[in-house]
Amino acid sequence: MTSPPRARRPAAVSDAAAVSDTAAVPDDAVTIGAGTIGAGVPDTKAARTRERVLDAAAEVLSRKGYAGTRLAEIADVAGVQAPAIYYYYASRDELIEEVIRRGQERAQGHVEAALAQLPAGASAMTKICAAVEAHLRAVLQLSDYATAAVRNIGQMPDEMRKRLVAAQARYGILWRSLFEEARARGEIDPDVDLHAAQLLVIGALNSAPEWWNPKRVPLEDVVTTALTITCRGLAVSWPLPGTEGTT
Amino acid sequence: MTSPPRARRPAAVSDAAAVSDTAAVPDDAVTIGAGTIGAGVPDTKAARTRERVLDAAAEVLSRKGYAGTRLAEIADVAGVQAPAIYYYYASRDELIEEVIRRGQERAQGHVEAALAQLPAGASAMTKICAAVEAHLRAVLQLSDYATAAVRNIGQMPDEMRKRLVAAQARYGILWRSLFEEARARGEIDPDVDLHAAQLLVIGALNSAPEWWNPKRVPLEDVVTTALTITCRGLAVSWPLPGTEGTT
DNA sequence: GGCGCTTTCTAATCTAAATTAGATTAAGCA
DNA sequence: TGCTTAATCTAATTTAGATTAGAAAGCGCC
């Protein structure tokens, strides 16, 4: 498919980053808002335009979904004509894939940074709480990239999804290890299935961008609520309800 | 554009049902699996084909998402040529909208039925548990309709979404009233924001179809896990046996 | 004060998919 | 058995949107 991708295309700054999975976005590159120029990216006009297109794509993608995303709309948001996009990206899919990949990297980087700040002896449940909070803040605050990632895996062409899911494996493993550590230390209720619990929790967090409205519930309240529910829900210290109503 | 929608189109059986919101799907119509012919639908060949097309649409929609859904694929799954769909539905969007509407109705009907079976004096938290279980079972077992509904609101054309969200209002109110009752009775932790909690819980449940794999975690384990986490996560503590209704 | 590179534009082209037209087959029924 | 309506098909038509071609505009540099 990838015949020499157009002589005129400039060395795409993040072709490398898009493939490498060792180079997580450095902490200082994780910021709130729109254009985050990663470390090492030359700040030329072209690089900025490229970034602007990427930001626009993230915005549209998070709003319209994979198949509903139009290049024309992206171009419009970026303040450019549609064909200009091809100067930076070989195809619509390449652009979209980079957005999602970056979203994943950012969320993961944010969570890892939060975990790294915990004191050495933190309990497993404390770590889970920190991860929950960081992930939630990532999808709610960290620009549209994380949202785009979260809302669109699952509706993309198989090939692309496969690659993206593979790229995300490390993040899944991170979460799993948190849960396994908690279970090993007896901090998680024996009735909960670890895998189901992990995905339910992440699912709850990922749903937040769909409904959260800062005017209705302040961010901090959402965070508190999520922390309260998930961490207490997982923990072992409360008795289960009787069999009432649960058949 | 909606000039008389084609003389030849037969009286679409559920044109009425698709609009009425009083006529919730009757309990006996809520079944597991594919084609559920609602009460009062004549069982003619045409009605069956129409239903088959609807089922196919639900299946494709739940898998590919709104914009990724192709009439050709629906037709293929239904064992029919694409244009035949227009004999039953005026447009792609009309078909899709009916799928989602039915999905909403089914989930809601399922939850309401579960609540109706609870003993009169059930605690508010017991009701929430019942609703959680019923909703989860609906999205995991109740054919593709509920899944299609859950996964696609949020990516459809604005007009359509508006209508569907409006149609769903009653369901939202049902949940809210459950949460409000629990709070009024002091059964919910004062730290949790009611609105955020409600949507986090529903978000967690709605995420299940994205990842659940019956081979990996049995359905019953998912249900148990969800119940454990959500109900204990919300509760301030569990009412002791026998204290229900003594508020 | 023109030259070549970079960046972006306008104006096609190409393609997939919804929708329509009209023909064709199946089914009840006089 | 022929006639009318129902149900479905095949073969256009249309449209939206990605992609390509190739021209122009900006810009550093001699």
Side-chain angles (χ1 to χ4, degrees):
Chain A
M1 55 189 95
T2 41
S3 49
R6 269 153 148 229
R8 74 197 207 205
R9 192 152 142 267
V13 162
S14 46
D15 272 2
V19 179
S20 88
D21 54 338
T22 54
V25 172
D27 299 347
D28 61 325
V30 175
T31 65
I32 312 293
T36 296
I37 311 274
V41 174
D43 187 14
T44 69
K45 177 152 176 275
R48 267 181 277 113
T49 303
R50 188 179 199 275
E51 205 68 13
R52 198 149 36 81
V53 169
L54 202 61
D55 285 346
E59 198 273 318
V60 175
L61 198 56
S62 73
R63 201 153 36 76
K64 295 293 188 64
Y66 172 76
T69 291
R70 298 286 116 83
L71 284 188
E73 189 170 355
I74 294 175
D76 200 48
V77 171
V80 97
Q81 290 311 106
I85 294 174
Y86 287 87
Y87 184 72
Y88 298 101
Y89 301 92
S91 70
R92 173 181 182 272
D93 275 4
E94 184 184 299
L95 168 59
I96 289 180
E97 187 163 341
E98 183 166 337
V99 166
I100 295 189
R101 196 160 244 133
R102 191 179 287 201
Q104 294 173 336
E105 284 167 357
R106 284 196 185 180
Q108 173 168 357
H110 204 235
V111 169
E112 283 172 345
L115 288 173
Q117 287 199 301
L118 254 31
S123 73
M125 194 57 74
T126 302
K127 288 184 193 168
I128 289 179
C129 286
V132 163
E133 174 165 358
H135 184 99
L136 184 57
R137 287 188 190 277
V139 297
L140 291 182
Q141 296 187 299
L142 214 56
S143 79
D144 301 304
Y145 288 90
T147 312
V150 143
R151 288 176 74 166
N152 288 300
I153 297 197
Q155 319 206 317
M156 22 196 54
D158 280 350
E159 284 312 300
M160 191 164 153
R161 183 176 49 246
K162 246 181 268 172
R163 279 195 301 276
L164 289 169
V165 167
Q168 218 186 2
R170 229 177 75 238
Y171 192 47
I173 290 172
L174 167 62
W175 276 93
R176 176 155 14 137
S177 67
L178 291 180
F179 275 67
E180 280 170 354
E181 182 185 345
R183 158 120 325 147
R185 297 204 190 180
E187 295 176 28
I188 286 189
D189 188 303
D191 273 351
V192 319
D193 176 275
L194 235 44
H195 186 243
Q198 171 185 337
L199 292 164
L200 283 169
V201 168
I202 293 180
L205 303 180
N206 286 350
S207 77
E210 310 276 350
W211 52 262
W212 179 56
N213 178 288
K215 304 231 172 98
R216 180 149 190 187
V217 188
L219 176 62
E220 297 309 317
D221 289 4
V222 178
V223 170
T224 302
T225 301
L227 278 176
T228 305
I229 295 180
T230 59
C231 295
R232 191 206 285 134
L234 293 168
V236 76
S237 28
W238 271 269
L240 276 179
T243 51
E244 58 185 15
T246 60
T247 311
Chain B
M1 51 201 60
T2 41
S3 48
R6 261 143 157 237
R8 73 199 207 203
R9 193 154 144 264
V13 163
S14 46
D15 272 2
V19 178
S20 89
D21 55 338
T22 55
V25 173
D27 300 346
D28 61 325
V30 174
T31 66
I32 312 293
T36 296
I37 311 274
V41 175
D43 187 14
T44 68
K45 178 151 177 275
R48 266 180 277 115
T49 304
R50 188 179 199 276
E51 204 67 14
R52 198 149 36 82
V53 169
L54 201 62
D55 286 346
E59 197 272 318
V60 176
L61 198 56
S62 72
R63 200 153 36 76
K64 296 291 188 65
Y66 172 76
T69 292
R70 297 286 117 84
L71 284 188
E73 188 169 357
I74 294 176
D76 200 48
V77 172
V80 96
Q81 291 310 107
I85 294 174
Y86 288 87
Y87 184 72
Y88 299 101
Y89 302 91
S91 71
R92 172 181 184 273
D93 275 3
E94 184 183 298
L95 168 59
I96 289 180
E97 188 164 340
E98 183 166 337
V99 166
I100 294 189
R101 197 160 245 132
R102 191 178 285 200
Q104 293 174 336
E105 284 167 358
R106 284 195 185 182
Q108 175 169 356
H110 204 235
V111 168
E112 283 172 347
L115 288 173
Q117 287 198 301
L118 253 32
S123 73
M125 194 56 76
T126 301
K127 288 184 193 168
I128 291 179
C129 285
V132 163
E133 175 167 358
H135 184 100
L136 183 57
R137 287 189 190 276
V139 298
L140 291 182
Q141 295 187 300
L142 212 58
S143 78
D144 301 304
Y145 287 89
T147 313
V150 142
R151 289 176 72 166
N152 287 298
I153 298 194
Q155 320 208 316
M156 22 197 56
D158 280 350
E159 284 312 301
M160 190 164 153
R161 182 175 51 244
K162 249 181 265 172
R163 280 195 301 276
L164 289 169
V165 167
Q168 219 186 1
R170 231 177 70 238
Y171 192 48
I173 291 172
L174 167 62
W175 276 92
R176 178 157 12 138
S177 67
L178 292 179
F179 275 67
E180 281 171 354
E181 180 185 345
R183 159 121 324 150
R185 296 203 190 180
E187 295 177 26
I188 286 188
D189 188 307
D191 272 352
V192 318
D193 175 276
L194 236 43
H195 187 241
Q198 170 185 338
L199 291 164
L200 283 169
V201 168
I202 293 180
L205 303 180
N206 285 351
S207 77
E210 310 275 351
W211 51 262
W212 180 55
N213 177 286
K215 304 232 172 96
R216 179 150 188 187
V217 188
L219 175 61
E220 297 310 317
D221 289 4
V222 177
V223 170
T224 302
T225 301
L227 278 176
T228 305
I229 295 179
T230 60
C231 295
R232 187 174 38 217
L234 293 168
V236 70
S237 74
W238 272 93
L240 298 174
T243 58
E244 304 191 331
T246 58
T247 313

